[in-house]
Amino acid sequence: MSAHVVGASSKLASKCPTGPLADRWQKHRFELKLVSPANRRRFHVLVVGTGLAGASAAASLAEMGYEVSAFCIQDSPRRAHSIAAQGGINAAKNYQNDGDSVWRLFYDTIKGGDFRARESNVHRLAEVSVDIIDQCVAQGVPFAREYGGLLANRSFGGAQVSRTFYARGQTGQQLLLGAYSALMRQVGEGKIKLYPRHEMLDLVLVDGVARGIVCRNLVDGAVRSFAGDAVLLCTGGYGNVFYLSTNAKACNVTAAWRAHKRGAVFGNPCYTQIHPTCIPVSGAHQSKLTLMSESLRNDGRVWVPRAGGDARAAESIPETERDYYLERKYPSFGNLSPRDISSRAAKQVCDEGRGVGATRMAVYLDFRDAIRREGAGGIRAKYGNLFQMYERITGEDPYQAPMRIFPAVHYTMGGVWVDYNLESTIPGLFVLGEANFSDHGANRLGASALMQGLADGYFVVPYTIASHLAGRKLGKVTTDHAAFARTEQEVRERIERLVNARGTRTPDSFHRELGLLMWDKCGMARNAAGLGTAIERIRDLREQYHRDVRIPGDAANLNSALEHAGRVADFFELAELMCRDALHRDESCGGHFREEFQTAEGEAQRDDANFCYAGAWELDASANGLAWNLHKEPLIFENVKLAERSYK
């Protein structure tokens, strides 16, 4: 169960610029190599994934003149999971004149991530945020507006200013439609070739450089290769390793994991975000969970009964017998405390026996006071669609009784390790958005995922990809190259092994068992004994899976069971790495909460002397079976002071 530790590694050259923090991105852009407009049409870029990061990158690169091919597993880019984001997108516009700035957004993000992210990346994200809003408004994104016509803002967790732009509870959908319109404009002009219902199953390397991908057509089962001069992975996070999460069922890790198995180093895999504001689990029949936007905590108050076992209806519990525990414990931030802290606080009161609802694994999110203050119409104008969604799912009217919420897996801060240019350790493989590990450290602040995806696609990779294309003297490569035939054959063999197992259990039954194990042992809280047990159990389950999985049908047709089976196989391997990463990191930080390392008040206890680094795992190709080498990228803080993270 041990892993070889390499230590600070030249393999992890971050390529972060030096000099004053506020000048680094501008300086770096000037120093990057350029591809002239006339030469861009010579280069072909493959973009895998068409959510916010992928659609914005593909549209931007095509607009600049590059040849682009875009691939998505859905029947339309409009169905990418970015559409499900609800609450908003951060930007340091300071429209409310309440003290916001690029520096404050930078600091809030560094602190929110528990000082486990690169200063240079986070400051660039804060800088670019102001341009994202202008870009989206120009595309027609219908952000909410104040009475006078100015764009509205609201607060989100981990901030004491209002910097979150929103379109009611449908911000992700509206932003995606903006990026989708830009993407489809380029498709219409013939500058982007779109391949819907194609799943990337492997990465093709030629002379150590990413030069193509192998995909399976999900409609007819055909396996086909595509060649290019660079590959962009924009495939989202891996939260579905837990089975129950707020992610769409199709969200998976396969593209990123295939890149990892070809040599891309995987960064901080144990950093998983648990969102505190989700509709609780209601039974074993569920295949996913539903997010209730963090924006609801602007007006909703979180509470539980003061006494354990109180089974009275919420309206029957008097004010003196209610514990508004977030307001009590974190008076400066209250109900808008960051997600990791709010989630653990909810778990703690439920573990004390003070949870509510039939399962006692829920807390109240109560709008009584806000409705009295603003009227039902005022609350409906802000959150109407979210209230409607809650009522349709639970059958309860949140205007009359408090919502019941509980934490659920939502986002993954870990991902493929990338440098400042968003390039992985495989030359020519760029990784954008949630698929990379770069900007959030150990915990993501709410409304920052949309910001990162669009920043990477619209404003970062169009600059940085040019240095790869202009600086590496790439020769022409087609799918006739032997590397494509070899990789295709490996893909077909993996598919056939799954189809031919002819066992007795469905992929979904294995996935559910793996997810429950991960939630129990590597979820909101972890400890060394549990993680060690999980690693052994995952290995046993993985062996059983390949021996006893059953997939009806064949590989030469539409086969959703086969799609799921391949993704579950990759989740089994990822799960072991997540547990190894959590086991090696003897500290608590952000979403990684080791029970052995907490303060007397139950807060996360970092160990900056020994763990102030990004942990990046390289697959050991020489080992018999799965084994990894751990590389460390030291995190240097020159502009902020490492401090105990407090929201009190």
Side-chain angles (χ1 to χ4, degrees):
M1 285 168 51
S2 62
H4 178 58
V5 178
V6 177
S9 172
S10 59
K11 190 176 187 69
L12 304 183
S14 69
K15 300 181 182 176
C16 289
T18 56
L21 186 63
D23 298 336
R24 289 180 185 177
W25 176 228
Q26 185 174 355
K27 172 189 174 187
H28 190 69
R29 284 188 299 177
F30 178 76
E31 293 173 349
L32 288 167
K33 296 181 183 296
L34 299 177
V35 177
S36 70
N39 285 335
R40 290 174 194 156
R41 65 179 66 96
R42 295 174 44 233
F43 294 108
H44 186 190
V45 181
L46 309 179
V47 180
V48 185
T50 54
L52 284 182
S56 60
S60 298
L61 295 173
E63 183 80 36
M64 295 170 71
Y66 296 106
E67 180 186 356
V68 177
S69 294
F71 304 82
C72 66
I73 60 174
Q74 302 90 358
D75 56 355
S76 167
R78 288 176 297 176
R79 295 186 182 272
H81 189 57
S82 299
I83 202 170
Q86 297 170 349
I89 177 171
N90 287 331
K93 286 285 198 181
N94 195 32
Y95 282 172
Q96 305 300 312
N97 198 29
D98 58 357
D100 201 12
S101 64
V102 167
W103 181 265
R104 189 175 294 277
L105 175 53
F106 156 73
Y107 183 77
D108 285 348
T109 305
I110 285 283
K111 177 184 175 182
D114 218 348
F115 300 91
R116 289 294 179 262
R118 292 188 196 127
E119 283 188 336
S120 294
N121 283 67
V122 176
H123 196 277
R124 175 176 66 187
L125 180 63
E127 287 178 66
V128 167
S129 71
V130 299
D131 298 321
I132 294 171
I133 302 304
D134 297 339
Q135 170 87 4
C136 295
V137 169
Q139 290 175 334
V141 173
F143 288 120
R145 294 181 180 268
E146 301 286 7
Y147 178 76
L150 299 177
L151 296 183
N153 293 117
R154 57 190 177 199
S155 299
F156 249 65
Q160 292 178 307
V161 297
S162 295
R163 64 161 67 101
T164 303
F165 295 78
Y166 63 97
R168 298 185 74 190
Q170 303 167 344
T171 313
Q173 179 192 56
Q174 298 303 323
L175 291 173
L176 183 62
L177 289 174
Y180 169 76
S181 66
L183 171 76
M184 295 309 293
R185 176 174 175 268
Q186 298 301 319
V187 172
E189 293 191 357
K191 296 179 180 179
I192 295 178
K193 178 69 173 176
L194 182 63
Y195 294 91
R197 302 296 291 159
H198 279 66
E199 180 173 21
M200 174 184 158
L201 294 183
D202 219 327
L203 180 71
V204 181
L205 306 186
V206 176
D207 299 326
V209 178
R211 297 304 301 270
I213 60 175
V214 177
C215 293
R216 181 174 180 267
N217 185 317
L218 299 181
V219 176
D220 61 16
V223 174
R224 178 184 171 190
S225 294
F226 299 85
D229 299 299
V231 177
L232 273 57
L233 290 189
C234 313
T235 50
Y238 48 86
N240 274 350
V241 68
F242 291 90
Y243 188 78
L244 285 180
S245 81
T246 66
N247 289 237
K249 286 299 290 179
C251 293
N252 64 86
V253 76
T254 288
W257 196 249
R258 292 293 115 200
H260 173 59
K261 298 197 79 170
R262 292 293 174 189
V265 172
F266 211 95
N268 298 334
C270 78
Y271 288 166
T272 305
Q273 179 172 86
I274 312 296
H275 197 296
T277 316
C278 302
I279 297 179
V281 175
S282 60
H285 64 282
Q286 284 182 273
S287 60
K288 74 176 300 295
L289 298 174
T290 302
L291 172 69
M292 289 276 94
S293 170
E294 183 174 295
S295 64
L296 293 168
R297 292 194 281 142
N298 272 288
D299 289 298
R301 300 179 70 191
V302 179
W303 66 276
V304 292
R306 289 190 180 276
D310 192 332
R312 289 177 291 174
E315 59 271 20
S316 300
I317 301 176
E319 191 73 13
T320 56
E321 297 179 34
R322 299 182 178 195
D323 181 13
Y324 296 92
Y325 59 89
L326 289 176
E327 298 173 31
R328 171 175 56 82
K329 295 178 68 173
Y330 309 103
S332 292
F333 286 77
N335 297 302
L336 286 175
S337 296
R339 292 175 176 179
D340 57 330
I341 288 172
S342 300
S343 293
R344 285 197 296 273
K347 179 180 185 296
Q348 181 181 10
V349 296
C350 290
D351 288 347
E352 292 170 358
R354 297 195 286 147
V356 301
T359 65
R360 299 295 173 192
M361 295 302 290
V363 300
Y364 287 129
L365 180 62
D366 195 341
F367 289 85
R368 182 195 64 181
D369 294 345
I371 291 172
R372 288 174 179 172
R373 184 177 62 248
E374 300 185 29
I379 298 303
R380 187 173 290 108
K382 294 181 185 178
Y383 312 114
N385 61 312
L386 295 171
F387 276 48
Q388 183 183 59
M389 181 171 67
Y390 180 88
E391 184 173 10
R392 286 185 175 180
I393 291 172
T394 66
E396 300 170 5
D397 182 358
Y399 292 101
Q400 302 299 323
M403 292 183 179
R404 288 175 294 104
I405 58 169
F406 194 70
V409 173
H410 179 57
Y411 187 91
T412 50
M413 286 74 68
V416 177
W417 185 94
V418 293
D419 62 21
Y420 189 68
N421 293 331
L422 305 184
E423 190 171 20
S424 72
T425 50
I426 297 176
L429 176 67
F430 294 79
V431 187
L432 283 62
E434 190 181 354
N436 75 34
F437 92 115
S438 65
D439 289 4
H440 305 296
N443 174 63
R444 177 178 67 78
L445 292 184
S448 288
L450 305 182
M451 177 174 62
Q452 185 206 353
L454 292 180
D456 288 355
Y458 281 137
F459 296 107
V460 179
V461 85
Y463 288 99
T464 61
I465 198 172
S467 272
H468 161 67
L469 298 173
R472 287 203 167 106
K473 309 294 184 188
L474 299 172
K476 184 69 174 177
V477 168
T478 70
T479 54
D480 293 331
H481 193 283
F484 286 87
R486 184 169 58 250
T487 308
E488 268 193 37
Q489 182 59 28
E490 292 173 8
V491 167
R492 289 191 172 92
E493 289 173 357
R494 285 201 305 271
I495 291 172
E496 287 304 314
R497 280 197 296 272
L498 286 171
V499 171
N500 292 334
R502 301 301 180 192
T504 62
R505 291 182 57 183
T506 65
D508 199 65
S509 71
F510 278 103
H511 190 186
R512 187 183 291 272
E513 187 172 354
L514 172 66
L516 182 60
L517 175 65
M518 289 295 290
W519 178 249
D520 287 344
K521 305 299 184 184
C522 197
M524 266 195 284
R526 305 99 184 260
N527 59 60
L531 290 166
T533 299
I535 290 171
E536 295 299 330
R537 181 62 182 144
I538 289 166
R539 294 167 118 187
D540 291 343
L541 272 174
R542 186 169 65 235
E543 291 178 9
Q544 183 183 347
Y545 179 76
H546 287 285
R547 193 173 59 244
D548 198 31
V549 70
R550 180 171 183 83
I551 300 168
D554 57 43
N557 295 284
L558 176 71
N559 191 334
S560 59
L562 177 58
E563 295 171 33
H564 190 196
R567 296 165 191 169
V568 174
D570 292 328
F571 279 142
F572 268 114
E573 296 183 356
L574 166 70
E576 181 177 342
L577 182 59
M578 291 173 68
C579 292
R580 287 184 182 278
D581 189 40
L583 184 59
H584 106 274
R585 189 170 282 276
D586 288 338
E587 66 165 354
S588 292
C589 56
H592 168 64
F593 190 77
R594 282 281 297 274
E595 293 174 338
E596 307 95 322
F597 306 101
Q598 54 183 299
T599 67
E601 296 178 326
E603 305 292 349
Q605 188 173 61
R606 292 198 324 265
D607 181 354
D608 294 330
N610 295 301
F611 292 97
C612 194
Y613 60 77
W617 297 83
E618 178 185 21
L619 194 68
D620 187 347
S622 65
N624 183 20
L626 283 178
W628 289 271
N629 296 323
L630 172 62
H631 300 266
K632 299 177 181 179
E633 180 199 342
L635 297 172
I636 310 300
F637 292 92
E638 302 172 312
N639 299 276
V640 299
K641 180 182 178 181
L642 284 166
E644 182 179 344
R645 185 168 168 244
S646 175
Y647 291 91
K648 296 182 177 180

